[in-house]
Amino acid sequence: MKKVLCFGELLLRLSPRLGGAWIAEESMPVFVGGAELNVARALARWQLPVSYCTALPAHNLADEVIGWVAAQGIDVAPIHRSGARIGTYYLPQGADMKAAGVIYDRAYSSFWELAPGDIDWNQVLEGVHWFHFSAISPALNAQAAAVCLEAAKAASERGITVSVDLNYRARLWQYGKSPAEVMPELVKYCDVVMGNVWAEQQMLDIPVRAGLPDDKEAYIEQSMASSAEIRKRFPKCRQVANTFRFDAGAGVRYYATLDDGKQFYVAPEQYAAEIVDKVGSGDTFMAGLIWGNCNSLRPQELIDFAAAAAFNKLFITGDATTATVADIKRSFAQYA
């Protein structure tokens, strides 16, 4: 079977209940996550061979974390042991990763300190069919961006499919470079690009129409234009997928698009009046794209499955999906 390698920072998410509850209870839930690990967990859950590469310190706490990752069915052999700390962030319960509620504590983590040459990509990429990373890693510092470039280039030169999730985290881009100064050099090695039209504007300077109305038809037209422009600027790119998730009271509306260079596809809109946890929904969508491609789904089936997987994650507590492929297909039939 085709093997996937996910590369990025493993993070501990501390999720306090606000209003002083976390202090009074002397308790705060901790989730093991990170965008690329969330993707790897989903793929392992869906029976696709997957390995995970990150940097973690050589101490007992990291040993426990690695053991837990391995227990999820993920190959942890590529994990690089260096540095002194595991990256963390605080996200109050019910808050959104993209909102002001997130507080990062990632400086000088093992991954933050990675430098080009630290990882033997010849060894790590052996037997790999698909390499995935996200825009969160190059947002940390120039050195991390250089490591991502080294990895993407090495994978591309070996004929490995390379994918990137253009997740934009404004609070992370603090080292004097804008995303648009960094990401194009990375994306030129990518075969599959996932994001949304606003992230593509921030990271790749792909224009979004001024005065874009709050209208599904207008958003889909913008997605068509943005996707076509990405494929034009980055000839290696063969698929562009965009997601649209909008709050609707306590619930959400969700749909997605796919441009494969031949045709444009739209997944049916899904709606729920209430959800449980927004964290990891985009990572689950990315996992759906990878799983669908590796299983040779037709384009409409591919975008439908990825969107259904992402929407289904909204009802699951934690950073990564625990749903099976069958669960996702049932959920899609219920909410579409």
Side-chain angles (χ1 to χ4, degrees), residues 62-130:
D63 290 344
E64 290 198 358
V65 170
I66 292 171
W68 180 87
V69 173
Q72 311 306 305
I74 298 166
D75 175 15
V76 297
I79 294 178
H80 183 75
R81 307 303 293 270
S82 61
R85 65 182 302 259
I86 303 172
T88 64
Y89 70 101
Y90 298 82
L91 187 70
Q93 293 178 30
D96 194 323
M97 281 293 298
K98 299 174 185 176
V102 64
I103 300 170
Y104 292 108
D105 183 14
R106 302 174 67 170
Y108 304 103
S109 69
S110 295
F111 191 90
W112 193 92
E113 292 182 334
L114 270 181
D118 284 350
I119 295 174
D120 182 350
W121 293 109
N122 282 323
Q123 179 180 355
V124 170
L125 292 169
E126 182 68 31
V128 170
H129 170 79
W130 190 298

Side-chain angles (χ1 to χ4, degrees), residues 295-306:
N295 283 278
S296 302
L297 296 190
R298 293 190 298 254
Q300 188 64 59
E301 293 176 322
L302 173 63
I303 192 61
D304 287 354
F305 178 78

